[in-house]
Amino acid sequence: MSAPDVRAFTVGPVQENSYIVRAGADATRAVIVDPGDEPERLLQAIDALGVQIEAILITHCHFDHIGAVAPVAPATGAPVYCPQIERPLLADIMSWVPPGFGPFESYEPEHMVSGGERLSLAGLEFDVVFTPGHSPGHVTYALPGALLSGDVLFQGSVGRVDLPGGDWATLERSIGSLLQAYPAETVVYPGHMGVTTLGRERVVNPFLSELRDRAPRAATADSPAA
C-alpha cells in the first residue's frame, strides 16, 4: 500500500498540528485529525484540496486539539471519533480551558474509541492504539508506515505529564509499545513540532534514554532518518 497523503496545518496560539489525511494526492475523501483551532483556515484548506471529510479523529481532548471540532463537524457533516475516557472534556470544553484561551464551543461526539478498534475511513484503515500518559484516554491513529501520535512523541521530545491525568511511567510504557510494534522507518506525525520517525527518536530523543537502556542491543542500532 502506498503512503498516505498527509497535510499538516499548524494552528492556534499553542501551535498545534492538525492533519488532513487521504489515501493519495488524488483522493477525494479524507479525514481530519485534531482540528484544534482556526476553523475557517481548516475549512478553506478542505475546499482547496477538493476533499469530502468522512471523519474527525481526536487523539485526546486537551483544548488545543479540539477547539475547532464544533464548527468543523457541522460544516463538513463528518462524525467525530473521541477517546472514550475524555468525552466529558469535549462535551463541556470551557470547563477545562485555561484562562486566556478560547472561547470554544462544546461538542457531543458521535463515536467513542478506546484502543483496539480498526476504522475504515476515506479508503484508509486506521488502527486505534491506546497510548495514555500525556492524558488518561490518549489514542494514536496508526496507518501502514505512519502514526498520528498526538502528544505522545515529538521530534526530540515527548508529551508533558504535569497536566491533570498525566503520568510519566504510563507515557514511557506507551512510547515503548509503539517502538516495539512498528518499524523504525514509521513516520510520526506529532501534535506539535516537526515530522519525525520512530527510528530517529529511538536513537536521539533524550527522553527515551531509559527505553534505550532496556532495549535489546539490535534495537538501538537504527540510524537516524535523513
Side-chain angles (χ1 to χ4, degrees), residues 51-68:
V51 294
Q52 173 67 39
I53 298 297
E54 289 197 357
I56 297 169
L57 305 182
I58 299 172
T59 62
H60 66 295
C61 288
H62 288 159
F63 76 93
D64 54 318
H65 290 254
I66 59 172

Side-chain angles (χ1 to χ4, degrees), residues 1-57:
M1 179 180 292
S2 60
D5 180 56
V6 182
R7 306 294 179 98
F9 302 87
T10 303
V11 298
V14 189
Q15 294 290 280
E16 182 263 342
N17 294 329
S18 298
Y19 296 99
I20 297 174
V21 186
R22 53 184 174 170
D26 296 326
T28 58
R29 299 181 294 153
V31 305
I32 186 166
V33 180
D34 286 354
D37 208 334
E38 302 183 46
E40 297 86 359
R41 180 179 167 211
L42 295 176
L43 292 171
Q44 288 172 1
I46 291 166
D47 288 343
L49 290 170
V51 294
Q52 173 67 39
I53 298 297
E54 289 197 357
I56 297 169
L57 305 182

Side-chain angles (χ1 to χ4, degrees), residues 140-203:
T140 292
Y141 294 97
L143 290 165
L147 297 174
L148 294 136
S149 68
D151 286 1
V152 170
L153 181 63
F154 301 136
Q155 188 180 77
S157 189
V158 298
R160 59 190 294 182
V161 294
D162 59 339
L163 298 172
D167 181 75
W168 168 247
T170 303
L171 180 64
E172 188 180 45
R173 285 194 296 272
S174 292
I175 295 171
S177 69
L178 295 177
L179 292 173
Q180 291 179 355
Y182 298 97
E185 63 270 19
T186 302
V187 180
V188 177
Y189 295 95
H192 301 272
M193 299 185 283
V195 174
T196 186
T197 67
L198 286 180
R200 173 183 286 277
E201 298 312 309
R202 179 186 287 151
V203 173

